[in-house]
Every structure is written in structure tokens, then in C-alpha cells.
Amino acid sequence: MNNIKPIPHDTAGESECEHALKHLYEYLDSEMTPDDEQRMRAHVAHCSPCLAELSVEDLVKQLVRRSCSERAPDTLRVRIREQLTGMAVIE
Ligand SMILES: [Zn+2]
């Protein structure tokens, strides 16, 4: 992996967190442009709330794929989030 430089939270109109959350699924589905993907990686590398969010959705996605159901129940999402945020440092 190349060195990833953090991108400052000062892009016009849209905060990096908004950008990250808005494009979460594109990232997980590998539908992002390489530039956006780089931006996403750089952001979650130094933003733990977004990294937690990304991890939750990634886990849910894997579990849903494994169980072959249409979509994960919200209870599952909440449970994973609780586990992750329980481990993460909350700012
Ligand atoms: Zn963020």
C-alpha cells in the first residue's frame, strides 16, 4: 500500500464525513472512481466514526451475502454497531 495522506475537512460544500457516508455503498460495492476511492480510504484512515460506519456496513453486507437473504434486519445492524462502538474509542 502507498502512504495515505489525510485529506483536510475543508472541501467546498461537502464535508469529508458527508462524502464518506454518502458514498459508503459505492465504496463497498467497488463502484467508486479510483479518485473517490482514494479519498474515502484517506478519510476513514483518520476518522474513526466513519471507519466504524464503514465496518458495520461491510460486516452486514458479508453476513447478508452468507445468509442469502434480501437485506439485513435492522436489529442485526444495530447489534454490530453496538459491538464495534463498544470497542472503539468514542470521541
Ligand atoms: Zn468522517
Side-chain angles (χ1 to χ4, degrees):
M1 266 302 173
N2 299 328
N3 280 342
I4 294 173
K5 292 196 185 76
I7 294 170
H9 288 241
D10 62 357
T11 43
E14 184 182 48
S15 81
E16 284 300 315
C17 290
E18 282 170 5
H19 175 268
L21 296 177
K22 194 151 79 182
H23 299 282
L24 201 62
Y25 290 100
E26 289 166 50
Y27 179 77
L28 292 175
D29 291 334
S30 306
E31 287 169 353
M32 287 187 126
T33 64
D35 277 358
D36 271 352
E37 198 177 309
Q38 178 75 13
R39 187 177 162 188
M40 176 72 94
R41 286 220 186 91
H43 180 68
V44 297
H46 70 103
C47 182
S48 49
C50 286
L51 180 61
E53 197 65 30
L54 192 66
S55 309
V56 168
E57 293 301 333
D58 194 26
L59 272 171
V60 169
K61 208 170 135 73
Q62 288 173 26
L63 289 168
V64 168
R65 196 181 293 141
R66 204 174 304 156
S67 65
C68 297
S69 57
E70 279 296 299
R71 64 185 289 274
D74 287 341
T75 49
L76 175 66
R77 206 172 249 110
V78 169
R79 209 166 66 218
I80 294 172
R81 184 171 288 129
E82 275 170 359
Q83 283 177 11
L84 282 171
T85 53
M87 292 185 289
V89 179
I90 298 164
E91 292 176 89

